[in-house]
Amino acid sequence: MVIKRIPIKQLAHDEVEDMEDEVAVEYPLTLYLNGDEWVTLLCSPAALEHLCYGFLKSEGLIKSRNDISQLTLDSEKGHCWITVKDLNPLVLQLHGKRTQTSGCAKGITFYHALDNATLVANHSTSTVSFDHLVALMARFNGASPVFKATGGVHSCAVCSANDMLLIQEDIGRHNALDKLIGEALMTGLDLGHKILLTSGRVSSEILLKAARSGIAIVVSRSAPTDMAVREAEKLGMTLVGFLRGRKCNVYSGFERITG
Amino acid sequence: MVIKRIPIKQLAHDEVEDMEDEVAVEYPLTLYLNGDEWVTLLCSPAALEHLCYGFLKSEGLIKSRNDISQLTLDSEKGHCWITVKDLNPLVLQLHGKRTQTSGCAKGITFYHALDNATLVANHSTSTVSFDHLVALMARFNGASPVFKATGGVHSCAVCSANDMLLIQEDIGRHNALDKLIGEALMTGLDLGHKILLTSGRVSSEILLKAARSGIAIVVSRSAPTDMAVREAEKLGMTLVGFLRGRKCNVYSGFERITG
């Protein structure tokens, strides 16, 4: 249940009306990693296995689905017990450092330590036409039922050059992307050369999550930060912002957008 | 410098134009607490001392400005060295647990452990008229220069029943609120009975940060989560969402809104 109906009072032009409103449910999911309590995610209670797989992939703790030998989800208690094979203690230690964070922000030390070793420039020669991007975004905007009901979630989608393949929603824009990445991992969909659409702002963290999955083109309805633009340039990725109607800003990698 | 001008290509109705765009700067600030590296915040590089004070207050590590005996900010390196008097190792340990987080999400264990002990219901009898809220929000919407330039930040303001007292912007909605809380702490402004305006969604974390500062009325342009609504009810706070034009939803504490 990702939406809850609650009684509210609506004020409009000095009239008060008792009515019901639909709000997004916020759900705490605690992950236990190889026996130890590890992290609690506040998320929308849907696609929780996808979230677990995607979060572990984004955090650099697994590379493939087979790196997890067991995953037991108790959705009633909000607990997920995960056993990762050959858990790298260094990665876990760096993770501990990295996740000393504040809300939407996240430590950068670990990024640089790990990403410099693992992230390489994206040499994808895939392209997408502007008309196709406009059509994809229009479809994406209409394909978010929880947002339509509540206005309280972000959505992300993975697209090929001519189709929308996966879409996920969550109260957190990081969670929405991790759910996508997890779903791709679980269903064997290769994200290389794919297009990511997101409703939310693109910070360096979102950009780097996409980069680690091999995504070549990141397209947002909203704004990027300067650091996301710099990372996109460095990694040879295409970054498009403010795609609204038939207008957008291309911040990096213009060669992948065809007329 | 919270805004950076960068060269972009703007696509509009099949025309391509080389132009400059203003984007929000994303800046890593690493806090060192009593000699140890503690946390890196990704933030807008303004009001950094306010952010440090507010973050420490929100995390429960300080209660008053005097609990910090030294704060040295090196804004070039992005380092801030803070010495807190009588640092409670239990709080720090719980903090470590709590901040095992994902992006916009944050662990809930610590909240319950600490908040149950410290948070009490808000018995403020202060009220605000609907007309005044509408006027405050209109002023708030026009008072965010970085948002106007970049579209890439959130803003928060503290208001009395008839004036806007403080306003802060940041790439993270948690940081924007922490900057406000820090500014109030540094300038001796009591947040009890005040109104918080925010551009962003109200999750349980935002609601609880406001609660810990004694704020009685939280008003957002956007949506709350169900957990935020439940916390507001439990704590006797007023929670208003979707205040746009002359319309809003009151989720909790309607008695503080006068006609």
Side-chain angles (χ1 to χ4, degrees):
Chain A
M1 192 191 63
V2 294
I3 297 173
K4 195 174 158 187
R5 291 188 72 83
I6 58 172
I8 64 157
K9 287 188 191 287
Q10 186 166 84
L11 275 146
H13 308 283
D14 302 323
E15 304 265 315
V16 183
E17 191 182 349
D18 284 292
M19 55 184 289
E20 282 202 322
D21 189 35
E22 294 185 310
V23 293
V25 171
E26 184 180 346
Y27 171 90
L29 178 66
T30 301
L31 310 193
Y32 295 82
L33 191 60
N34 292 17
D36 291 323
E37 183 178 334
W38 180 43
V39 56
T40 298
L41 307 175
L42 292 173
C43 61
S44 299
L48 294 177
E49 283 201 28
H50 295 162
L51 176 60
C52 292
Y53 274 89
F55 184 73
L56 285 160
K57 176 82 159 41
S58 287
E59 297 300 304
L61 292 174
I62 61 169
K63 282 182 182 162
S64 80
R65 160 171 204 165
N66 295 331
D67 292 340
I68 292 181
S69 56
Q70 200 173 2
L71 187 147
T72 310
L73 181 66
D74 180 339
S75 57
E76 200 155 316
K77 284 189 185 156
H79 291 172
C80 189
W81 299 81
I82 303 161
T83 308
V84 169
K85 290 181 212 163
D86 307 322
L87 192 61
N88 183 342
L90 177 67
V91 172
L92 200 59
Q93 193 186 325
L94 285 166
H95 172 90
K97 189 158 191 161
R98 173 188 181 183
T99 52
Q100 298 290 320
T101 75
S102 166
C104 290
K106 202 176 262 186
I108 200 160
T109 319
F110 174 50
Y111 274 95
H112 288 178
L114 193 74
D115 289 339
N116 282 345
T118 57
L119 273 180
V120 292
N122 193 311
H123 294 299
S124 168
T125 53
S126 62
T127 59
V128 61
S129 75
F130 178 53
D131 285 348
H132 186 61
L133 274 188
V134 168
L136 278 176
M137 186 56 93
R139 191 170 148 202
F140 176 64
N141 289 341
S144 183
V146 185
F147 181 79
K148 269 187 223 167
T150 69
V153 295
H154 277 294
S155 48
C156 278
V158 167
C159 305
S160 66
N162 49 27
D163 202 9
M164 192 176 297
L165 306 174
L166 307 174
I167 182 163
Q168 291 285 352
E169 294 181 278
D170 198 280
I171 56 162
R173 64 200 163 97
H174 289 85
N175 292 338
L177 180 50
D178 283 337
K179 283 179 177 178
L180 267 190
I181 291 170
E183 187 174 4
L185 198 69
M186 289 176 77
T187 57
L189 176 70
D190 180 5
L191 293 180
H193 314 288
K194 296 295 187 301
I195 301 163
L196 173 70
L197 300 187
T198 171
S199 63
R201 291 169 301 139
V202 180
S203 60
S204 62
E205 305 169 276
I206 294 289
L207 196 284
L208 291 173
K209 268 182 206 266
R212 275 183 225 109
S213 292
I215 288 168
I217 301 172
V218 175
V219 179
S220 172
R221 197 151 72 200
S222 181
T225 65
D226 77 315
M227 206 188 281
V229 175
R230 274 187 279 138
E231 295 288 354
E233 280 168 352
K234 203 172 74 184
L235 293 168
M237 292 166 70
T238 296
L239 177 56
V240 176
F242 293 107
L243 178 53
R244 295 168 185 185
R246 289 193 58 77
K247 198 169 165 184
C248 70
N249 292 343
V250 184
Y251 293 92
S252 173
F254 181 69
E255 67 279 2
R256 289 200 186 91
I257 314 291
T258 59
Chain B
M1 193 191 62
V2 294
I3 297 172
K4 195 173 159 190
R5 291 187 72 84
I6 57 172
I8 65 158
K9 287 187 191 287
Q10 186 167 84
L11 274 146
H13 307 284
D14 302 324
E15 304 266 314
V16 183
E17 191 183 348
D18 284 292
M19 56 184 289
E20 282 203 323
D21 189 34
E22 295 185 310
V23 293
V25 171
E26 183 181 344
Y27 171 89
L29 178 67
T30 302
L31 311 192
Y32 296 82
L33 191 60
N34 292 16
D36 291 324
E37 184 178 334
W38 180 44
V39 56
T40 298
L41 307 174
L42 292 172
C43 61
S44 299
L48 295 176
E49 284 202 27
H50 294 162
L51 177 60
C52 292
Y53 274 89
F55 184 72
L56 285 160
K57 177 83 160 41
S58 287
E59 297 299 305
L61 292 174
I62 61 169
K63 283 183 181 160
S64 80
R65 160 171 204 165
N66 296 330
D67 292 340
I68 292 181
S69 57
Q70 200 174 359
L71 187 147
T72 310
L73 181 65
D74 181 339
S75 56
E76 201 156 315
K77 284 188 185 156
H79 291 172
C80 188
W81 299 80
I82 302 161
T83 308
V84 169
K85 291 180 212 162
D86 307 323
L87 192 61
N88 182 342
L90 177 66
V91 172
L92 200 59
Q93 194 186 322
L94 286 166
H95 172 90
K97 189 159 191 160
R98 173 188 181 184
T99 52
Q100 298 288 322
T101 75
S102 165
C104 290
K106 200 176 263 187
I108 200 160
T109 319
F110 174 50
Y111 275 93
H112 288 177
L114 193 76
D115 290 339
N116 282 346
T118 57
L119 273 179
V120 291
N122 193 311
H123 294 298
S124 168
T125 53
S126 62
T127 59
V128 62
S129 75
F130 178 53
D131 285 348
H132 186 59
L133 274 189
V134 168
L136 278 176
M137 186 56 94
R139 192 169 148 203
F140 175 65
N141 289 342
S144 184
V146 185
F147 181 80
K148 269 187 225 168
T150 69
V153 294
H154 277 293
S155 47
C156 278
V158 166
C159 305
S160 66
N162 48 28
D163 202 8
M164 193 177 296
L165 306 173
L166 308 174
I167 182 162
Q168 291 283 354
E169 294 180 278
D170 199 279
I171 56 163
R173 67 199 161 96
H174 289 86
N175 292 338
L177 180 50
D178 282 336
K179 283 179 177 178
L180 267 192
I181 291 169
E183 186 175 5
L185 197 69
M186 290 176 77
T187 58
L189 176 71
D190 180 6
L191 293 180
H193 314 288
K194 296 295 186 301
I195 301 162
L196 173 70
L197 299 186
T198 171
S199 63
R201 290 170 301 138
V202 180
S203 60
S204 62
E205 304 169 278
I206 294 289
L207 197 283
L208 291 173
K209 268 183 206 265
R212 275 183 226 109
S213 292
I215 287 167
I217 302 172
V218 175
V219 180
S220 171
R221 198 151 71 200
S222 180
T225 66
D226 77 314
M227 206 188 282
V229 175
R230 275 187 279 137
E231 295 287 354
E233 281 169 352
K234 202 172 74 185
L235 294 168
M237 293 167 70
T238 297
L239 177 56
V240 177
F242 292 106
L243 178 54
R244 295 170 184 182
R246 290 192 57 78
K247 198 169 165 184
C248 70
N249 293 343
V250 184
Y251 293 93
S252 173
F254 181 69
E255 67 279 1
R256 289 200 186 89
I257 313 291
T258 59

